[in-house]
Amino acid sequence: MGHFKEILPDASSLIQSLRNIGYSFETAVSDIIDNSITANAENIDIFFQNDNQNIKFGILDDGKGMNEKELINAMKPGSFNPLDFRNEKDLGRFGLGLKTASFSQCKKLTVISKQGNNIFAAEWDLDYVLATNRWEIKILDKTEIDNTFGIEKLKNHYSGTLVIWDKIDRITENSNYKFNYYFNEQIKNLGKHLELVYHRFLDGRETKPPLKITLQSNKLKSFDPFMRKYMATQELPTEEIILNGEKIIIKPFIIPHYSKLSKEDYEYYAGAGGYSRNQGFYVYRNKRLLISGTWFRIIPQKDFYKLARIQIDLPNSLDHLWNIDIKKSTSSPPPSVRERLKKIIEKISGASKKVYTARGHKSFSLAQPVWFREAKNGEIFYRINREHILLQKFIKTLNNEQINEFIDILSLIEENIPKEIIYNDMTDTPKNIKNGEMDDAFLEKKVIELLKAGIIGKNDYKTLSETEPFNKYTKSWEEFLKGI
């Protein structure tokens, strides 16, 4: 009769594999912060020391802390079964985050936890594991605890937990060139990442008191991708999906057209990659952002949808159906939910397109625009208006040969519009695109020339108000023409 034999994983091999799950620096830090929030922390302090490229990194919270048994369990890989029941506010799932996130960035992880006058500390040293091939952590004594980086900060709290990364070899990997510049960029990107991922905790809309996170003594502020502080933001009706008896809440938003924002605010809220790349669904679990700026391949990203952003709130009981990974950075909705999301997109696409295209109609409704848009056989062309009064005035000064040459020049301009450059600028930085300045004095001078050339008469003030660039005149053409 057969029998069972226990096979323990090779410690040095497996722990090296755990280092390569795929965390970025930002997602690794976020996983530690999730534990702090689950521990009811109100203040999280992130701090570091860069001593001649020898970096020590600390994450401190004022949560409920752990006793020795809880701490040792927290240091055990796979300390929590993802199938077990969890508190609905728990941001973890696999019982791996503390270890895998930390190992992805450093070779020495120290965790110190305080409850009242009791302080406990444990340490993983991957160099020790590699040398001994044993699953052993070190329990620190009082002297070792007192000499640990950042310990005085923890002692200022009644309770809390301090996570320390030492022997860091991944944050600055392959960056000996301009080391400090690269490291500072990593810290800067970390701040932006945390301001987005935890924006609903930081802004105090839903959590009282709001969570406070400081990064090297700088307080982080909420980055709300839905721009709810602006009157021009449209919050569309909330919808609900019931899946396995659990409720998924969906809130669509149409963020403001760039014309409604200052240049500074427009650039700030563009975020990494600009507005086009940040359109789509924002998936949250217990108010913590998991996935941002995706349509889950339900529809392609298009400029007409660039102002549409949809908040999806999931309970943690549906993690397995949404395929949320250990890093909490990838996810995909189940088929039944995809169909509902597709219908929601169809509902809001009209509103997004309307806001996106609402600006700019005036120039195409003019009787005398400088440019015409022409659509033919599914293709779009932009043509210079050869009947424009300023062009007509100029053409009258030319002989037949010069007129033909001038028409060729206009055709050259039309056929060589820098479409790609204009498209990229309109997508990324439309606030920076400016027309040439034509003040009232310049426009008045041109009108007098048109009068002298017989192109317009003194009663043609309505024509001027419907003709570019004279429609930008800040005074009254009727009064000006009567006053000549």
Side-chain angles (χ1 to χ4, degrees):
M1 184 176 179
H3 64 282
F4 292 94
K5 181 178 177 61
E6 184 179 32
I7 301 177
L8 294 175
D10 184 84
S12 59
S13 298
L14 181 56
I15 214 156
Q16 287 298 320
S17 298
L18 291 176
R19 302 198 72 196
N20 297 299
I21 288 178
Y23 281 93
S24 66
F25 176 49
E26 295 91 345
T27 57
V29 174
S30 298
D31 228 335
I32 307 301
I33 291 177
D34 288 347
N35 293 335
S36 298
I37 293 174
T38 300
N40 300 321
E42 295 180 3
N43 296 278
I44 299 172
D45 184 17
I46 304 168
F47 55 97
F48 56 86
Q49 172 184 294
N50 181 4
D51 183 12
N52 194 27
Q53 302 187 14
N54 179 25
I55 299 169
K56 294 182 187 293
F57 195 86
I59 304 170
L60 169 70
D61 70 52
D62 62 351
K64 62 184 179 181
M66 294 177 280
N67 60 35
E68 187 173 26
K69 181 180 178 180
E70 291 170 330
L71 174 59
I72 292 173
N73 187 57
M75 295 294 272
K76 181 174 68 175
S79 58
F80 192 91
N81 188 329
L83 300 179
D84 288 347
F85 173 79
R86 285 177 292 160
N87 183 291
E88 63 179 13
K89 295 183 179 180
D90 191 349
L91 294 177
R93 180 186 177 195
F94 296 94
L96 285 169
L98 170 64
K99 286 74 64 175
T100 54
S102 300
F103 296 160
S104 74
Q105 305 301 314
C106 71
K107 293 193 291 183
K108 187 174 181 181
L109 164 66
T110 305
V111 180
I112 309 175
S113 204
K114 182 175 186 287
Q115 290 183 329
N117 295 322
N118 299 312
I119 298 182
F120 307 97
E123 182 177 276
W124 275 106
D125 189 330
L126 301 195
D127 287 335
Y128 174 83
V129 175
L130 188 62
T132 63
N133 199 28
R134 297 173 66 88
W135 292 100
E136 291 183 347
I137 60 172
K138 181 179 182 181
I139 306 300
L140 303 189
D141 62 25
K142 183 179 184 305
T143 301
E144 290 170 317
I145 291 173
D146 288 341
N147 290 321
T148 305
F149 174 67
I151 188 61
E152 293 305 319
K153 290 177 177 283
L154 175 61
K155 287 182 177 180
N156 289 331
H157 294 310
Y158 175 78
S159 63
T161 299
L162 171 62
V163 175
I164 304 159
W165 292 349
D166 200 357
K167 296 184 182 179
I168 292 173
D169 61 342
R170 296 289 180 88
I171 297 177
T172 53
E173 195 172 33
N174 301 321
S175 63
N176 289 328
Y177 177 67
K178 294 185 177 178
F179 177 93
N180 288 328
Y181 171 80
Y182 181 83
F183 177 68
N184 290 336
E185 284 298 299
Q186 289 280 68
I187 296 299
K188 180 180 176 181
N189 292 336
L190 171 64
K192 291 180 179 179
H193 177 82
L194 299 180
E195 288 180 334
L196 173 61
V197 169
Y198 299 103
H199 75 91
R200 292 169 69 181
F201 293 90
L202 294 168
D203 65 17
R205 288 173 180 267
E206 302 167 79
T207 54
K208 303 291 184 183
L211 178 68
K212 180 181 178 183
I213 303 177
T214 56
L215 176 57
Q216 201 70 345
S217 300
N218 295 311
K219 183 180 177 181
L220 300 185
K221 57 183 179 179
S222 169
F223 181 93
D224 178 11
F226 309 109
M227 303 170 67
R228 282 171 287 192
K229 74 175 185 177
Y230 292 94
M231 294 287 290
T233 294
Q234 298 180 33
E235 184 171 349
L236 304 182
T238 298
E239 302 208 18
E240 294 180 357
I241 298 175
I242 305 299
L243 182 64
N244 283 14
E246 299 283 359
K247 188 182 296 183
I248 300 170
I249 301 174
I250 301 171
K251 292 183 180 181
F253 294 84
I254 307 298
I255 62 174
H257 188 273
Y258 74 85
S259 62
K260 300 289 187 181
L261 304 172
S262 68
K263 179 181 177 181
E264 292 74 20
D265 282 356
Y266 180 85
E267 292 175 350
Y268 174 72
Y269 282 101
Y275 284 86
S276 288
R277 288 187 59 183
N278 289 317
Q279 62 184 272
F281 296 111
Y282 286 67
V283 182
Y284 297 79
R285 186 183 64 188
N286 298 335
K287 299 186 288 293
R288 193 266 204 208
L289 181 63
L290 301 176
I291 311 294
S292 64
T294 177
W295 291 117
F296 294 120
R297 298 186 179 180
I298 297 173
I299 61 168
Q301 288 187 332
K302 291 184 178 180
D303 273 353
F304 283 148
Y305 302 136
K306 69 189 284 186
L307 302 181
R309 298 181 180 182
I310 304 173
Q311 175 180 308
I312 300 178
D313 277 302
L314 304 178
N316 61 15
S317 56
L318 297 180
D319 283 1
H320 62 295
L321 296 179
W322 281 72
N323 298 314
I324 295 172
D325 69 347
I326 292 174
K327 307 184 301 297
K328 307 179 193 120
S329 60
T330 62
S331 171
S332 60
S336 60
V337 175
R338 289 179 69 89
E339 289 302 311
R340 283 291 305 277
L341 294 179
K342 186 175 182 180
K343 292 179 180 178
I344 290 170
I345 294 170
E346 291 170 355
K347 285 183 181 180
I348 71 164
S349 61
S352 176
K353 183 175 180 180
K354 183 178 179 181
V355 172
Y356 178 70
T357 59
R359 313 295 298 179
H361 286 308
K362 181 178 179 182
S363 63
F364 292 102
S365 64
L366 296 171
Q368 287 277 334
V370 174
W371 288 89
F372 280 123
R373 179 183 182 274
E374 180 182 317
K376 183 170 61 178
N377 298 327
E379 297 181 318
I380 298 171
F381 304 89
Y382 292 94
R383 303 298 188 197
I384 295 174
N385 178 16
R386 287 155 172 74
E387 301 302 317
H388 192 279
I389 54 178
L390 285 177
L391 292 184
Q392 287 300 307
K393 169 183 172 294
F394 178 67
I395 288 172
K396 281 190 173 185
T397 66
L398 306 178
N399 58 39
N400 288 337
E401 183 179 349
Q402 290 170 328
I403 290 174
N404 291 333
E405 187 174 348
F406 179 61
I407 296 301
D408 287 343
I409 291 172
L410 295 182
S411 298
L412 176 68
I413 294 170
E414 292 169 339
E415 296 302 323
N416 291 278
I417 297 172
K419 300 185 291 293
E420 292 82 6
I421 296 173
I422 294 172
Y423 175 82
N424 289 336
D425 288 341
M426 283 299 298
T427 299
D428 296 333
T429 55
K431 279 280 184 182
N432 293 345
I433 299 175
K434 302 296 181 184
N435 292 328
E437 296 296 329
M438 292 187 178
D439 59 19
D440 287 350
F442 175 84
L443 296 174
E444 289 172 355
K445 176 185 174 184
K446 289 299 174 185
V447 166
I448 291 172
E449 292 175 0
L450 291 171
L451 283 167
K452 289 181 178 179
I455 303 296
I456 62 170
K458 280 197 170 187
N459 294 321
D460 287 336
Y461 48 84
K462 188 174 185 297
T463 299
L464 290 174
S465 65
E466 296 177 350
T467 300
E468 288 182 321
F470 303 105
N471 62 321
K472 298 180 177 67
Y473 188 57
T474 63
K475 304 174 188 176
S476 166
W477 282 124
E478 182 178 8
E479 292 180 7
F480 176 79
L481 291 173
K482 287 180 179 179
I484 295 178

